[in-house]
Amino acid sequence: MKKSGHPGARRRVFLGDGTSTEEELTAFRRPNLNGYRVDKFNSFARHLLKYGEGTWTYEPTPGGTMVTWTYSFVPSSLFASPLVGHIARNDFRQCMSIAMDRLKTEAERKSIP
């Protein structure tokens, strides 16, 4: 098992709905990049997805930091592909937006002296 914070490190992530997935750190270059892959879903997603990959990049700006989060999914089959595409473009995009808003709020709250 790889040390936490280094590519290859894995952990089980428990989600708010009681399901879980495994997450592997695929890239980590402090202070501007981290990437990960999720798989081994124990939810309905296991029927639709082989895995998902995400990347966070952080870029200094005059007013703070620009955070970019990109995500992609690999469907489990050709038949799952249209549904996975729909979920990624609609439901997951909304979840990502909510998560980014929460991250921004928390970061701004903590940066106030």
Side-chain angles (χ1 to χ4, degrees):
M1 191 84 147
K2 295 273 187 170
K3 184 178 175 185
S4 178
H6 291 77
R10 292 187 69 86
R11 67 180 182 161
R12 172 126 325 249
V13 178
F14 295 92
L15 307 173
D17 65 357
T19 63
S20 66
T21 184
E22 281 194 19
E23 179 182 78
E24 178 180 354
L25 190 61
T26 58
F28 186 72
R29 288 193 300 275
R30 191 176 290 236
N32 54 1
L33 171 79
N34 68 295
Y36 60 97
R37 175 181 173 142
V38 292
D39 56 15
K40 298 184 182 174
F41 308 96
N42 76 350
S43 65
F44 186 76
R46 72 182 177 275
H47 301 293
L48 299 175
L49 302 173
K50 288 183 182 177
Y51 59 89
E53 293 182 315
T55 303
W56 291 76
T57 58
Y58 313 93
E59 185 177 333
T61 64
T65 303
M66 168 68 79
V67 178
T68 304
W69 182 16
T70 57
Y71 213 93
S72 63
F73 295 104
V74 176
S76 60
S77 71
L78 184 61
F79 300 107
S81 189
L83 183 55
V84 169
H86 174 78
I87 291 169
R89 284 187 304 276
N90 297 291
D91 302 330
F92 197 73
R93 181 175 287 177
Q94 182 180 357
C95 290
M96 289 174 74
S97 179
I98 291 167
M100 290 296 281
D101 288 345
R102 288 180 179 169
L103 176 67
K104 180 179 184 286
T105 298
E106 187 66 16
E108 289 173 344
R109 185 182 68 77
K110 288 189 175 186
S111 70
I112 298 171

